[in-house]
Amino acid sequence: MLSMAGKVAIVAGAGSVGPLGSAIWGNGKATAILLARQGASVLLLDISADAMAETRAIIEGEGGVCAAHRCDMTIAAEVEEMVQSCIDRFRRIDILVNNVGGSAPGDPVAMSEETWDRQIDLNLKTAYLGCKFVLPVMVGQGSGVIVNIASVAGLRNDFLSGRSHVAYSAAKAGVIQFSRSVAGTYAKKGIRVNTVVPGLMHTPLVEYRLARTVGGNDTQKLIDARNAAVPMGHMGDAMDVAHAVLFLASDEARFITATEIIVDGGSSAAMP
């Protein structure tokens, strides 16, 4: 079940923020490791060589197959070169996981134009560039799966939190519709495209970024508040996202395209 044997996967954002050796993994790291555990050969992408090296060490320590490639997914030339590198090494591309992003606070008045542009590039353009250069390979093969990572911020507005991150919300909504549009365009070419939509997750971003930017440097208070905001009573973690990606990438999901799996413990259903 859910075997990835013989398949080649590219996972963007395969490192994690925060100190090396942390027991808390990011979505990309968990996804890369899970795909490798299921038998895939994985090309790890990140802008941090150290973060990738740790993911690679875990995979290879478990007997898996992977390679690391530093790539800024916002730069077309780097993405194009990365795809060619994957073909040179593994000869094919069966799975692309577009998992690059991050939020910056601000409403349209408070947010600078530079921040807006960077948010759109980081959260939406990266998915576009990944697809731009991988899709021709998949078309040539006659098969392929693309899983893009969005956010519940692209579905619902959490007005009660008092936080505004309009560019992030707009970009993640764009990822969802981008996935649907690409899926429709390539459905008859044997390529499936879907989206995983995480909610409040306990990832390194919580402990090493959000605790500082929105949590008043009180990590436990922030964690408690996020847990309390989820109908199930606790945040998810990166493996919850990874298992959703694994299912969508698997042959068991062969008739699923142009849709989303929401991984949020019921949060989006409870939002306005």
Side-chain angles (χ1 to χ4, degrees):
M1 293 288 290
L2 304 181
S3 172
M4 296 287 115
K7 296 188 178 182
V8 175
I10 295 174
V11 180
S16 288
V17 301
L20 299 179
S22 173
I24 303 171
W25 293 353
N27 296 331
K29 183 175 185 176
T31 297
I33 292 169
L34 182 60
L35 291 175
R37 286 174 176 171
Q38 296 302 109
S41 298
V42 184
L43 182 64
L44 312 171
L45 309 181
D46 209 284
I47 58 172
S48 169
D50 289 341
M52 277 191 297
E54 185 169 80
T55 304
R56 182 175 186 173
I58 293 171
I59 291 173
E60 292 181 342
E62 295 179 349
V65 177
C66 67
H69 190 107
R70 190 191 181 283
C71 181
D72 185 336
M73 292 292 291
T74 67
I75 300 175
E78 292 196 17
V79 179
E80 184 176 24
E81 191 275 331
M82 172 274 295
V83 170
Q84 186 58 54
S85 176
C86 187
I87 293 299
D88 292 343
R89 183 179 182 92
F90 295 115
R91 304 303 176 190
R92 61 184 295 111
I93 301 171
D94 299 291
I95 301 159
L96 169 65
V97 182
N98 281 311
N99 171 63
V100 177
S103 65
D107 60 46
V109 177
M111 180 174 287
S112 69
E113 184 178 356
E114 291 76 17
T115 298
W116 170 272
D117 289 344
R118 175 62 180 167
Q119 282 283 285
I120 299 300
D121 285 353
L122 185 65
N123 291 289
L124 182 55
K125 183 180 179 181
T126 52
Y128 152 72
L129 287 177
C131 290
K132 179 176 181 63
F133 295 108
V134 166
L135 278 167
V137 176
M138 291 181 170
V139 169
Q141 298 168 173
S143 65
V145 179
I146 297 171
V147 182
N148 297 318
I149 309 300
S151 167
V152 293
L155 293 174
R156 300 285 191 273
N157 294 302
D158 182 12
F159 297 119
L160 298 179
S161 71
R163 294 181 63 206
S164 180
H165 37 62
V166 293
Y168 180 73
S169 295
K172 289 304 188 181
V175 168
I176 294 169
Q177 187 55 34
F178 172 77
S179 299
R180 294 173 181 169
S181 182
V182 176
T185 302
Y186 287 87
K188 286 186 170 59
K189 300 180 186 297
I191 299 165
R192 298 187 295 106
V193 186
N194 292 291
T195 309
V196 172
V197 185
L200 293 173
M201 315 303 294
H202 192 174
T203 66
L205 284 172
V206 175
E207 303 217 354
Y208 305 115
R209 187 172 300 171
L210 294 181
R212 183 183 69 255
T213 59
V214 302
N217 290 316
D218 190 333
T219 302
Q220 191 57 53
K221 182 178 179 181
L222 177 64
I223 290 172
D224 291 344
R226 288 168 66 91
N227 284 337
V230 180
M232 291 182 71
H234 61 86
M235 290 183 282
D237 62 28
M239 271 298 174
D240 295 313
V241 175
H243 278 286
V245 174
L246 172 64
F247 170 66
L248 290 173
S250 72
D251 292 340
E252 282 80 357
R254 64 186 182 179
F255 200 54
I256 299 174
T257 195
T259 194
E260 302 81 45
I261 292 182
I262 300 174
V263 184
D264 72 349
S267 294
S268 58
M271 291 179 182

